[in-house]
């Protein structure tokens, strides 16, 4: 919501893209991580792998959006098309 609001203050309305791509990315990462963990039969230790739950994936991707939200908030005040935007986005 903060990312969408920051972009809205700069004159860009991208709420549908933010939520749509974010949800599809979370579902895709959830599928890939559960395929990689191998939640099949018991291994050598005798215990089953439970995989990764969906809420954990949403939490990880939410924290990964924090730097992007900070750059969008700075973009409200400063023009990010010059050297300042290049440095901040690195």
């Amino acid at each position: 919501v903060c990312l969408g609001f920051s972009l809205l203050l700069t004159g860009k309305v991208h709420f549908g893209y933010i939520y749509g791509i974010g949800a599809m990315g979370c579902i895709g990462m959830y599928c890939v991580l559960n395929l990689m963990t191998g939640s099949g039969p018991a291994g050598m230790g005798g215990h089953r792998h439970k995989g990764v739950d969906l809420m954990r994936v949403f939490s990880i991707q939410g924290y990964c959006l924090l730097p992007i939200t900070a750059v969008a908030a700075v973009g409200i005040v400063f023009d990010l098309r010059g050297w300042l935007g290049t440095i901040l986005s690195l």
Side-chain angles (χ1 to χ4, degrees):
V1 173
C2 291
L3 177 61
F5 186 69
S6 297
L7 291 175
L8 182 66
L9 287 176
T10 59
K12 302 171 188 167
V13 182
H14 295 292
F15 285 104
Y17 291 115
I18 292 170
Y19 290 121
I21 292 174
M24 293 305 292
C26 284
I27 292 170
M29 184 181 286
Y30 170 75
C31 293
V32 168
L33 286 175
N34 279 322
L35 286 173
M36 287 174 43
T37 55
S39 57
M44 290 188 59
H47 61 342
R48 294 177 58 111
H49 298 284
K50 293 183 180 180
V52 179
D53 56 323
L54 190 60
M55 295 310 290
R56 189 166 303 196
V57 174
F58 278 127
S59 174
I60 290 169
Q61 285 206 335
Y63 279 111
C64 289
L65 279 176
L66 283 177
I68 298 170
T69 305
V71 170
V74 170
I76 295 170
V77 180
F78 299 108
D79 184 27
L80 297 178
R81 287 180 282 196
W83 60 272
L84 178 67
T86 303
I87 291 172
L88 282 177
S89 63
L90 292 177

